Amino acid sequence: MPLPRTRARLGARLRSRLVEVLAAAPPAPAEPVVEGGLTRGEALDVLDALVRMAEALLSCGASAADVTALTLRAAGGAGLARTQVDITYTAVTVSTAGADGHPLTSVRVVRVRGTDYSRLSALYELAHDAGDGLPAAEVSTRLRRLLSQRRPYTRRVSALGAVGLAVSVAVLLGGSWAVAVGAAVVTAVLQLLLAAANHRGLPAFFQQVAGAGVATCFALALLLWQPHLPDWVGPLPPSLVVGSGIVVLLAGLSLVESAEDAISGFYVTASARAFETLLLTTGLVLGIAGVLDLGQRAGITLSLAFAPTEAPPLVVQVLAGTAAATAWAVSGYAAGRAVALAGLAGATASATSALAVAAGAGPVAAAGLAALLVGFLAEGTAWRWNVPGLVVAVCGIVPLLPGLAIYRAIFAVVGGGTSAGLALLVSALGTALALAAGVTLGEFCSQPLRREFDRVERLVRRRALNRRF
């Protein structure tokens, strides 16, 4: 038999045998289904998108309760109903049940923090869309797009917002136009200093030390220049000027956020925020004490006494509160609608607090009542303009923050008045708790109002469709 014909027959037999073996072999196991019809790979993609979105929300200033609620909403929209979310202020963990009983988990570390209300608003909108069933691939694409987009305005405009906040606080404290100008100068210098420190990666603790030291240097300089100022300038108390200008460094808002997380049941995150507040406040104490010590060695003694002036008229308080909330929104890169709503919230908070004090309520009770009203209105109506209620509520309570009480407490402790300083710190803590409790309770009470708005909106849309067809 010729050799080529033998090879052909052997090849045909091998091919037929291979076909028989492959036909008898069991089929390859299909990828297990996790939940909601998703395979393991698809579930991991969803978890990755969820954890990156939660990390972005937390880094932009959202509370732990809101981050958890939005992440669970987005997970439910993707079909992962049995999802767990754990937040520890520096890390986010999202886990869901696997098909074999073993959980699928994704972890993300929060490395960079900064206030960015425009990005926060876009993240809230993305989370709500994801809760309505947006695919994981689309969530990841939109997330990358919004995290890489530019802010609505430049760093200089944000710094001008901080300057406007200092001017508004000076007016709220009853200062003259000269005090407002002095606070604006101090804040402008501090903004330049903080921008340079951030550019070089200086830790926040040392930024607090440097900022407090520079502000106290301004106070010493004002003390020396007082006899040489013209009469038309009027009184220019160093403590009032520096107290208004240093408000951007004070940890009043961090204290409120810590109390809000504790009230919502996120104790680990609240403890981390509280420790951060303590650390930043310690930096302020060191900066102030260091400059005061150098001044005393040079023969310059700054009086630590603070004599508060009379409260300005109600109209002035409302206008200053509006300006303070608007300026804070601008410094946080809020968009146009959010800035306008923040101004309205600031006016509401200032008017409510002033009227409550005039009716005989204490400052803590007045702050809590104002925060309750602002939280109720913000959470119940702000979403109608695609603005998160958190942004409006936080900006609205800025005129009521206990920043000045913290500043006075620091000066009292540095000057040796430990008992007076502790009393002021307790007062600041009470105000922070009242603001946090008021905002949280207001958001809770507004839920029925929001559900009613949703019901009315669905009814209007249904009637419009019936008329059309």
Side-chain angles (χ1 to χ4, degrees):
M1 182 181 294
L3 185 60
R5 185 176 300 176
T6 304
R7 290 179 178 176
R9 290 180 178 178
L10 290 175
R13 291 178 181 177
L14 288 175
R15 285 194 297 271
S16 61
R17 181 60 180 167
L18 181 60
V19 171
E20 292 177 359
V21 170
L22 292 176
E31 192 173 1
V33 177
V34 176
E35 188 179 3
L38 298 178
T39 63
R40 182 183 179 89
E42 293 172 344
L44 289 175
D45 292 338
V46 172
L47 289 180
D48 180 68
L50 291 177
V51 77
R52 288 192 293 114
M53 184 180 66
E55 181 264 338
L57 282 166
L58 196 62
S59 64
C60 289
S63 64
D66 284 349
V67 174
T68 302
L70 290 172
T71 306
L72 291 176
R73 173 185 171 87
L80 301 179
R82 295 183 296 170
T83 300
Q84 300 292 328
V85 180
D86 183 39
I87 297 176
T88 60
Y89 190 59
T90 57
V92 178
T93 304
V94 182
S95 179
T96 190
D100 53 358
H102 295 88
L104 302 177
T105 305
S106 184
V107 181
R108 190 85 174 182
V109 178
V110 183
R111 301 185 182 276
V112 181
R113 294 183 180 275
T115 304
D116 191 340
Y117 291 137
S118 62
R119 182 171 295 177
L120 185 62
S121 300
L123 287 170
Y124 267 72
E125 183 179 358
L126 175 60
H128 282 283
D129 291 343
D132 294 334
L134 192 67
E138 182 66 21
V139 172
S140 300
T141 302
R142 287 180 55 179
L143 184 62
R144 287 194 298 268
R145 188 185 304 121
L146 70 89
L147 290 180
S148 61
Q149 68 184 7
R150 292 184 177 182
R151 289 168 171 171
Y153 28 80
T154 62
R155 168 70 184 175
R156 294 181 180 179
V157 178
S158 175
L160 288 178
V163 173
L165 175 62
V167 173
S168 304
V169 171
V171 175
L172 282 173
L173 297 178
S176 61
W177 67 268
V179 173
V181 172
V185 172
V186 173
T187 306
V189 174
L190 289 179
Q191 288 299 305
L192 293 175
L193 176 66
L194 294 178
N198 281 327
H199 182 71
R200 288 166 176 78
L202 186 68
F205 174 79
F206 298 106
Q207 293 184 27
Q208 293 289 101
V209 174
V214 170
T216 311
C217 287
F218 269 93
L220 294 177
L222 281 176
L223 185 64
L224 293 177
W225 292 342
Q226 283 286 347
H228 308 288
L229 293 176
D231 296 336
W232 54 268
V233 174
L236 202 61
S239 297
L240 189 59
V241 173
V242 178
S244 303
I246 207 175
V247 69
V248 295
L249 298 176
L250 295 171
L253 188 58
S254 299
L255 194 61
V256 173
E257 292 174 345
S258 174
E260 185 176 1
D261 283 341
I263 292 173
S264 301
F266 295 87
Y267 302 111
V268 175
T269 308
S271 301
R273 290 186 190 271
F275 183 78
E276 182 185 38
T277 301
L278 178 62
L279 183 66
L280 297 180
T281 305
T282 304
L284 290 178
V285 172
L286 292 178
I288 293 172
V291 174
L292 287 180
D293 182 67
L294 293 176
Q296 290 177 357
R297 293 176 184 273
I300 307 172
T301 303
L302 178 64
S303 176
L304 299 177
F306 184 89
T309 59
E310 294 183 0
L314 178 60
V315 177
V316 177
Q317 292 187 47
V318 172
L319 293 177
T322 304
T326 302
W328 181 260
V330 171
S331 67
Y333 299 99
R337 292 180 179 179
V339 172
L341 293 175
L344 293 176
T348 303
S350 299
T352 304
S353 177
L355 292 176
V357 170
V364 175
L369 180 61
L372 174 64
L373 182 60
V374 168
F376 178 82
L377 295 177
E379 189 65 24
T381 60
W383 63 274
R384 305 280 297 177
W385 290 272
N386 293 327
V387 177
L390 173 68
V391 174
V392 179
V394 167
C395 294
I397 64 174
V398 163
L400 308 178
L401 290 177
L404 183 62
I406 297 175
Y407 171 76
R408 292 172 60 190
I410 292 173
F411 257 56
V413 171
V414 171
T418 306
S419 59
L422 291 177
L424 289 172
L425 283 177
V426 171
S427 175
L429 180 60
T431 303
L433 286 173
L435 291 175
V439 170
T440 305
L441 184 59
E443 292 175 352
F444 176 79
C445 294
S446 67
Q447 293 178 3
L449 177 64
R450 182 165 181 174
R451 286 195 294 266
E452 182 65 19
F453 278 156
D454 289 338
R455 187 188 67 82
V456 173
E457 184 177 12
R458 288 193 298 267
L459 180 61
V460 171
R461 289 182 177 178
R462 190 180 302 112
R463 289 180 177 177
L465 289 175
N466 292 335
R467 291 175 182 175
R468 182 179 302 177
F469 298 102

